[in-house]
Amino acid sequence: MLAYPEGVIELKSPNEIQQMRPAGKFVGDVLTALKEKAAVGVNLLELDELAHQMIREAGATSCYIDYHPSFGASPFGKVLCTSVNDAVLHGLPHDYTLQDGDLVSVDFAVALNGWVADSARSFVVGTPRPQDLRLIEATEVALTAGIEAAKVGGKLGDISWAIGEVAHEYGYSVNLDFGGHGVGRTMHGDPHVPNDGRKGRGLKLKAGLVIAIEPWFLETTDEIYTDPDGWTLRSQDGSRGAHSEHTVAITPDGPLILTARD
């Protein structure tokens, strides 16, 4: 494992990136299963239990259940983030039954064989509203743009700029409090990857850098607040949010999506 000169950001060898693939595939498979399970009448706790069961069967370890950063009120206690409608990040699964038209964002991260993968997707349960589909589309287009900018020789700001340009084209503002991050043996590491920025600025992108790229947008604001549960982040004005994320390795042959879904 190599590192940047400052010794803070670790670069993975080609062999280590290959070792990360099983974790990435597992995370992608779980998110696919969760989307298939989610339906009108399904409880968020049922989704969390399905993910928990799959974790146990795979011999993986949840990155969330004992997670207790400074911004969290207590250890998270669940294995999924399930954010519904005006919730967009860190949604703590609770006793809520999905309703027709709910916009659901699911974020999932595990360690498998010592390596972490992290990914998120948004979808609508039941009858979709056109504006929700547009919001989800914007995060997915921004994710694709950010991944395409993750090239050896580029700058970290290229990724942020690409994401931000898509947001602005769709008419959304961007919150910079939370964004992408380094991934490896732990879920969150350097560098931080903002969802807006200046092209050609910041860290030089090198082969072996593995990052989670995760655009998330709110429909009519970029202001958020923390729910009384101490975790769930909601829009200040009640507008809906969407979130898309992949774990990506930067390689000499271009970006490699480790959490690609079938």
Side-chain angles (χ1 to χ4, degrees), residues 39-42 96-103 125-126:
V40 175
V42 172
Y96 175 79
T97 300
L98 293 172
Q99 308 295 310
D100 185 50
D102 278 347
L103 196 170
V125 171

Side-chain angles (χ1 to χ4, degrees), residues 235-251:
S235 66
Q236 281 284 7
D237 64 0
S239 63
R240 294 186 171 196
H243 179 200
S244 295
E245 176 184 18
H246 273 310
T247 296
V248 179
I250 297 176
T251 80

Side-chain angles (χ1 to χ4, degrees), residues 1 5 7 35 56 78 97 133 155 167 171 210 225:
M1 183 180 288
K35 185 176 186 297
R56 289 192 295 265
K78 302 295 181 184
T97 300
L133 296 180
K155 295 294 184 70
V210 179
Y225 73 94

Side-chain angles (χ1 to χ4, degrees), residues 67-69 72-77 229-231:
Y67 188 51
H68 190 188
S74 61
F76 192 72
D229 67 16
W231 276 100

Side-chain angles (χ1 to χ4, degrees), residues 204-218:
K204 185 175 181 180
L205 301 177
K206 298 181 180 181
L209 181 65
V210 179
I211 53 177
I213 300 175
E214 52 177 315
W216 60 277
F217 308 140
L218 298 165

Side-chain angles (χ1 to χ4, degrees), residues 135-151:
L135 185 61
I136 294 169
E137 177 186 86
T139 65
E140 292 175 345
V141 173
L143 178 57
T144 298
I147 292 170
E148 289 176 349
K151 298 177 180 178

Side-chain angles (χ1 to χ4, degrees), residues 106-123:
V106 181
D107 197 350
F108 182 63
V110 300
L112 183 63
N113 302 325
W115 293 103
V116 170
D118 188 4
S119 186
R121 69 186 306 178
S122 294
F123 51 85

